[in-house]
Amino acid sequence: MKLVQPARRRAFIVALLGGAAAASFATVATAAEDQPHTDVDEVVVTARRVEENIQEVPVAVTALGEWAIKERGIVTTTDVMFAAPSVQMTTQFGRLSGGFSIRGLAGGTQTYYAEVPGGPTESAAPLYDIASVQVLNGPQGTLFGRANTAGAVLVTPNRPKFNEFSGSFEVQQGNLGLSRITGVINVPLMQDQLAARLAVHRDHLDGYTKVLGSSQRLNENNSQEFRFSLDWRPGNGKFRNYAILDYYDVDQASGATSLSAINPTLAIFNLPANINAPNGLTAGTATFGAACNTAVAAGLSPNLTSCIDQRLRIAATLRPGLEGEYARIQAGGKDATRSVPGDPALDLSETLRKWTFVNQTEYDFGQVGFTTLTFRNIFGFQAAKGATGWDVDGLGGLIQSSVSVSQTSSYAFSVSAQQQGNRAIFEAGPYQKVYTNETQFRGVVGDDLISWSVGGFYQKTPAIRNLEGIRNLSRVFSGATVPTLGYNPSFPFGDGGRTTQRAVYGQATADISVIAPFIQGLHATGGLRKSWDKSEIFSRAVSTNLQTGAYVVGAQGRSFTKSDGYNSTLTLDAQVNDDLLLYGATRKGYRPGGINLVLNAAGLPNYTPNYSPETVRDYELGSKFDFRTGRVRGRFNAALYRTEYSDIQRTFNASVNGITTTYIVNASAAVIKGAELQGQLVFGNWDLSANYAYADAKFTDWIGADPLALIRPGDARCVPPLTSAICLIDLSDNPFPNISKHQGSLTLKYNVPLDQDLGEVSVQGTVYAQSRRYFADAAQRNLDQYGPQVLDALSQKAFERINLRADWKNIRGSRVSGALFVNNLTDANYALTTVTQLHSLGTSVSIYGEPRTYGVQLSYAFGQ
């Protein structure tokens, strides 16, 4: 079978956006003639580390200001994907370890919080008291701290304001126990010199997935946050210091997985029911003999026969449970996916405690010789610890439950998991710490003749030393394959070490209008960054005390890797006139390699102890155009790009001999071609904005071991055909994951004409839509093996999501504002990710986004 997109889906977003825009224009264009002139707002961005008009920046940028974030229902970091073209959120190991994919490049996107890599930007992190969120598409490594291949997401909190005593209090209440409370106070401490700001936030949403047969609910949001910031600008204002202390505390029920496909043909699902069944003892001995011999020797079972019989009876429950739950899901549809079996043997919760400290120091030296000179230093410190206990199988732990945290996150938090008897006990463990420091020197020569920036970046991540617990435990097949009937560790004990990145960079923009005096401005930009990465990790082997079930520290091991690479940019942009910018750019991105730490690598497809850096070369042509026709004002920005992607880092999930683990492999190469459009029309009191992204993404070269570990040497599909050693196959026909061919959104807003004394009233609606998106790295390989019925288990089919909102600001001239909102009006049920293990555990599951939420928002502001 080959993947086929239904014809009706191929252009559905184009029709949706184009049709809605045309209908809206036709409806309001005539009325606009009688409405007062309203202009398109000027948007200031920091895409090049200085404040600039978005229309003058030769980079594909999406910018969301404070009011846009509220009006479009952007509550958490995940919601940014609904407002920015070519952006998706990928989630693994629960909702606390997700990350952005930009233009299909998952993992290569770096999120910055107040210009520091990382910060409280996990996929479920709330966006409160935020000045802006900016998404920069394409590699951004020459001006931003950490090397990346995909792009950057800039989350900028509100700064303290000098000479303004102000504040606000905002409450949201709604269905599903929705309760969001934010309080902000801004205090000037010294006129023109010192100000402080405190923001406090609480976020709660009842779990929207029920546990069958109980009152427990999963997929809960429950967090508390505070942010204290201080801005100091003494004396003549040349020196400035801005500091932030942020605390993020999560304690909530974990995410829920819903069973989406099954493979009941696994041998363990088809064993005799007990030792008295035909071939029972023989088959049971072959499957469970080794585990039972160990269990009997340790006194965990009275004899070999009873041990094997016990495990056959456990195994006999697996297939009926698997098929019964799958039948319930298939019969019940969307409603059935919002209830799952419970797991009484595991605490289904997730916690996170995260501290972030940022200190930005700046000194303006003014004119120094032929250039101005500004010094900036940005220091960041983060410390995080947490834990996630969840059922990975959608079956209440019948086939797999886990205590885990992502290995692949650059800023992972720590887990300390142990076993008592056959139960998992877990807690947060020690803090995972990250230190970063970036030093910049910037200046301008002449009258904007040359703008330049040079700097350096350093990051140190001390590896956790924790000999009390480990990072990841999994219990598969109800523990039948292990002596304790319990869990297996996937990773060793952490015993210290560190990972570092060092980098130097420089970039300059020169005005070269002299060679084209017939246009308003012509600029050339060049930038280069060199990065050096090194990891040295110490770990301890794991053995099991069979009497207690506890994991015991073993011998120490050392893992080491280092890599280096370049990021570069070369851009030519022409400011043709006040309203039109044209540009072309080529950039190279580098993402460092790393270490795969697993306990047992035998049989893991494509596994290597160290994985290599990945690199990207992209080419982009773009235009930014503001226009006016009569009373209509508009903006239209477009970008065409081609991305050449090499040594792609992909995360594999595998289970071998009852031990499940994750690791990173390097796929070979891919090419992604696409287009991004962003537009806005203002017709008097109407405001229409839209964005659209098209992507054609394909693997061009991927030869590797079978991800399902089913094709063996001697098979005709081996490349080349081999009779011994490892068998490699061509995997380049797999669809490129974490990107949709079509994706876009449209927002229509109407500002109700009212007397200013009554306040400002507006209503708006946003429609987001995307075509099919694949999550599995080897989707075609799974389809070839298991058939078209697993297609929707490997991907999210096309869907639409609608938000509505009505705002009344400064009600009747007061300081009170109110809003009514509905997010996900049609209650679309869409997957944020899937975990596919059909070949090893017989299951594929999906984690779904939030259902329809609605409510009221009230706020009070003073001094603003």
Side-chain angles (χ1 to χ4, degrees):
M1 175 198 170
K2 295 299 177 186
L3 304 174
V4 178
Q5 286 279 14
R8 65 187 178 88
R9 291 295 190 185
R10 289 177 180 169
F12 83 104
I13 292 181
V14 178
L16 173 69
L17 300 181
S24 300
F25 184 89
T27 302
V28 302
T30 303
E33 294 298 321
D34 299 322
Q35 298 294 341
H37 157 74
T38 302
D39 219 336
V40 177
D41 292 337
E42 178 178 313
V43 178
V44 176
V45 296
T46 55
R48 296 192 290 186
R49 306 300 289 270
V50 293
E51 292 187 350
E52 298 176 283
N53 185 333
I54 193 172
Q55 295 302 96
E56 298 174 358
V57 179
V59 175
V61 184
T62 301
L64 301 166
E66 185 172 12
W67 266 107
I69 291 171
K70 292 182 179 181
E71 290 181 334
R72 297 198 183 187
I74 299 172
V75 177
T76 68
T77 309
T78 295
D79 296 329
V80 174
M81 66 178 277
F82 300 123
S86 298
V87 175
Q88 300 275 7
M89 174 60 73
T90 61
T91 303
Q92 284 189 324
F93 301 99
R95 295 160 299 159
L96 296 180
S97 56
F100 286 108
S101 168
I102 297 180
R103 293 180 176 173
L105 278 63
T109 301
Q110 184 59 64
T111 304
Y112 291 84
Y113 176 79
E115 300 193 66
V116 165
T121 55
E122 286 76 15
S123 56
L127 296 172
Y128 70 100
D129 196 34
I130 295 295
S132 70
V133 175
Q134 302 171 48
V135 180
L136 283 55
N137 293 6
Q140 306 293 327
T142 54
L143 274 183
F144 285 89
R146 183 170 169 81
N148 69 79
T149 51
V153 178
L154 315 181
V155 178
T156 304
N158 280 314
R159 292 180 74 140
K161 299 177 182 178
F162 297 113
N163 307 326
E164 180 181 291
F165 181 73
S166 60
S168 63
F169 183 76
E170 181 177 285
V171 177
Q172 284 188 19
Q173 297 290 322
N175 68 319
L176 291 175
L178 172 64
S179 177
R180 297 189 178 104
I181 303 173
T182 306
V184 179
I185 186 166
N186 188 95
V187 181
L189 301 175
M190 296 178 63
Q191 186 172 3
D192 298 326
Q193 296 187 34
L194 184 63
R197 189 179 187 93
L198 176 65
V200 180
H201 181 79
R202 179 183 182 272
D203 191 357
H204 179 81
L205 182 72
D206 290 344
Y208 52 86
T209 302
K210 300 177 182 178
V211 175
L212 293 169
S214 77
S215 60
Q216 186 180 10
R217 290 175 176 265
L218 303 179
N219 283 322
E220 178 190 23
N221 284 346
N222 193 64
S223 63
Q224 297 81 37
E225 300 81 27
F226 79 80
R227 181 188 308 127
F228 178 74
S229 53
L230 199 64
D231 203 347
W232 182 37
R233 187 174 57 188
N236 58 10
K238 290 182 174 293
F239 173 83
R240 190 167 188 174
N241 196 84
Y242 171 43
I244 304 172
L245 178 64
D246 190 289
Y247 178 62
Y248 179 35
D249 185 318
V250 179
D251 188 358
Q252 60 196 23
S254 60
T257 57
S258 179
L259 194 64
S260 52
I262 63 173
N263 173 23
T265 66
L266 295 184
I268 197 169
F269 297 151
N270 296 281
L271 293 170
N274 53 63
I275 60 171
N276 297 318
N279 199 38
L281 184 59
T282 301
T285 301
T287 306
F288 305 117
C292 280
N293 279 325
T294 303
V296 171
L300 301 179
S301 188
N303 56 67
L304 186 63
T305 302
S306 62
C307 178
I308 291 173
D309 185 66
Q310 177 190 27
R311 288 154 198 271
L312 283 173
R313 293 177 185 275
I314 292 172
T317 67
L318 300 180
R319 181 166 180 170
L322 186 74
E323 293 179 331
E325 175 62 11
Y326 185 64
R328 186 187 72 83
I329 293 289
Q330 294 300 106
K334 177 174 67 176
D335 291 339
T337 66
R338 293 177 180 170
S339 58
V340 296
D343 186 350
L346 183 65
D347 181 10
L348 299 177
S349 66
E350 52 192 8
T351 63
L352 176 62
R353 308 287 184 271
K354 188 166 190 176
W355 292 91
T356 301
F357 175 72
V358 178
N359 192 82
Q360 300 180 10
T361 302
E362 182 174 340
Y363 191 86
D364 184 359
F365 290 93
Q367 192 72 30
V368 178
F370 59 87
T371 182
T372 64
L373 180 63
T374 301
F375 163 83
R376 292 190 77 215
N377 193 80
I378 304 168
F379 171 80
F381 169 75
Q382 296 161 71
K385 61 179 181 178
T388 297
W390 64 313
D391 291 329
V392 191
D393 59 1
L395 294 163
L398 182 70
I399 290 178
Q400 185 184 13
S401 60
S402 180
V403 177
S404 57
V405 64
S406 174
Q407 178 191 12
T408 61
S409 173
S410 298
Y411 300 99
F413 49 90
S414 68
V415 169
S416 182
Q418 259 293 355
Q419 184 177 228
Q420 293 181 6
N422 61 2
R423 292 179 60 90
I425 307 298
F426 65 96
E427 56 185 31
Y431 276 105
Q432 169 70 72
K433 300 175 182 177
V434 180
Y435 302 86
T436 62
N437 195 81
E438 182 178 1
T439 302
Q440 308 170 350
F441 292 92
R442 299 198 309 254
V444 178
V445 178
D447 186 13
D448 290 329
L449 181 64
I450 298 176
S451 300
W452 60 270
S453 176
V454 297
F457 174 78
Y458 176 73
Q459 175 183 306
K460 181 177 76 172
T461 307
I464 292 173
R465 187 174 193 274
N466 179 19
L467 304 183
E468 302 295 325
I470 59 177
R471 185 174 62 206
N472 201 317
L473 302 180
S474 286
R475 185 173 187 255
V476 300
F477 303 129
S478 294
T481 59
V482 297
T484 61
L485 290 174
Y487 286 75
N488 258 318
S490 302
F491 300 103
F493 286 98
D495 199 20
R498 68 177 181 175
T499 298
T500 61
Q501 180 174 102
R502 295 175 171 86
V504 294
Y505 63 87
Q507 182 163 309
T509 299
D511 186 338
I512 56 173
S513 299
V514 64
I515 67 174
F518 50 88
I519 63 176
Q520 192 162 299
L522 185 66
H523 301 90
T525 299
L528 185 66
R529 171 199 173 103
K530 172 72 171 181
S531 301
W532 298 267
D533 293 270
K534 182 168 65 175
S535 290
E536 183 180 35
I537 306 297
F538 296 97
S539 60
R540 294 274 181 174
V542 179
S543 60
T544 306
N545 182 326
L546 295 176
Q547 280 69 40
T548 66
Y551 298 117
V552 182
V553 175
Q556 187 187 72
R558 175 182 179 268
S559 300
F560 179 81
T561 186
K562 65 178 181 178
S563 60
D564 61 84
Y566 289 94
N567 287 60
S568 64
T569 185
L570 182 63
T571 304
L572 184 67
D573 67 89
Q575 190 71 53
V576 178
N577 54 45
D578 288 342
D579 298 323
L580 177 62
L581 174 76
L582 302 176
Y583 69 89
T586 179
R587 294 164 295 206
K588 180 183 178 183
Y590 154 83
R591 184 184 179 197
I595 297 171
N596 282 315
L597 284 177
V598 301
L599 278 177
N600 184 8
L604 295 178
N606 300 288
Y607 174 85
T608 55
N610 297 339
Y611 55 91
S612 302
E614 68 177 21
T615 58
V616 163
R617 167 65 70 182
D618 85 332
Y619 305 88
E620 183 176 315
L621 295 174
S623 65
K624 298 189 175 186
F625 179 49
D626 284 351
F627 61 91
R628 55 191 61 79
T629 302
R631 293 180 180 271
V632 177
R633 300 293 184 267
R635 174 169 293 165
F636 182 75
N637 296 343
L640 301 174
Y641 68 89
R642 175 188 172 90
T643 301
E644 298 171 356
Y645 197 5
S646 302
D647 291 319
I648 305 166
Q649 294 174 8
R650 288 296 185 207
T651 301
F652 271 27
N653 297 306
S655 178
V656 178
N657 298 323
I659 299 177
T660 63
T661 190
T662 61
Y663 54 101
I664 297 176
V665 304
N666 289 101
S668 292
V671 170
I672 307 169
K673 296 177 287 185
E676 295 160 349
L677 309 176
Q678 297 187 74
Q680 183 180 8
L681 291 176
V682 178
F683 321 79
N685 291 318
W686 293 86
D687 190 333
L688 175 69
S689 60
N691 67 68
Y692 167 73
Y694 167 82
D696 179 14
K698 296 179 180 178
F699 288 107
T700 57
D701 179 22
W702 185 6
I703 304 296
D706 178 17
L708 307 188
L710 296 174
I711 297 177
R712 302 297 184 184
D715 193 292
R717 288 168 287 186
C718 292
V719 182
L722 298 177
T723 57
S724 62
I726 191 170
C727 171
L728 302 180
I729 64 174
D730 186 354
L731 296 166
S732 60
D733 63 343
N734 283 285
F736 202 83
N738 300 310
I739 192 170
S740 296
K741 191 168 188 177
H742 303 284
Q743 177 192 17
S745 67
L746 182 146
T747 299
L748 182 62
K749 178 180 178 181
Y750 179 67
N751 297 301
V752 179
L754 285 179
D755 188 290
Q756 288 187 349
D757 292 340
L758 297 177
E760 301 175 28
V761 175
S762 63
V763 292
Q764 72 171 31
T766 297
V767 179
Y768 169 85
Q770 68 174 53
S771 58
R772 187 176 295 274
R773 171 193 176 191
Y774 290 90
F775 300 105
D777 289 296
Q780 184 60 56
R781 179 70 191 92
N782 277 274
L783 287 164
D784 290 341
Q785 183 68 32
Y786 302 112
Q789 64 271 17
V790 304
L791 175 61
D792 289 344
L794 305 170
S795 61
Q796 169 57 53
K797 64 182 180 181
F799 76 96
E800 300 81 37
R801 186 177 186 268
I802 301 172
N803 290 356
L804 299 178
R805 184 179 173 99
D807 277 282
W808 189 357
K809 301 177 186 176
N810 303 120
I811 299 173
R812 300 184 65 85
S814 71
R815 299 179 183 273
V816 178
S817 299
L820 300 174
F821 62 88
V822 182
N823 294 332
N824 193 7
L825 174 69
T826 59
D827 200 23
N829 197 37
Y830 55 92
L832 293 173
T833 194
T834 65
V835 181
T836 301
Q837 301 180 99
L838 291 168
H839 60 293
S840 55
L841 298 181
T843 63
S844 182
V845 298
S846 298
I847 300 176
Y848 290 100
E850 289 183 3
R852 176 172 51 237
T853 58
Y854 53 86
V856 60
Q857 175 181 307
L858 291 173
S859 62
Y860 173 82
F862 64 91
Q864 299 177 4

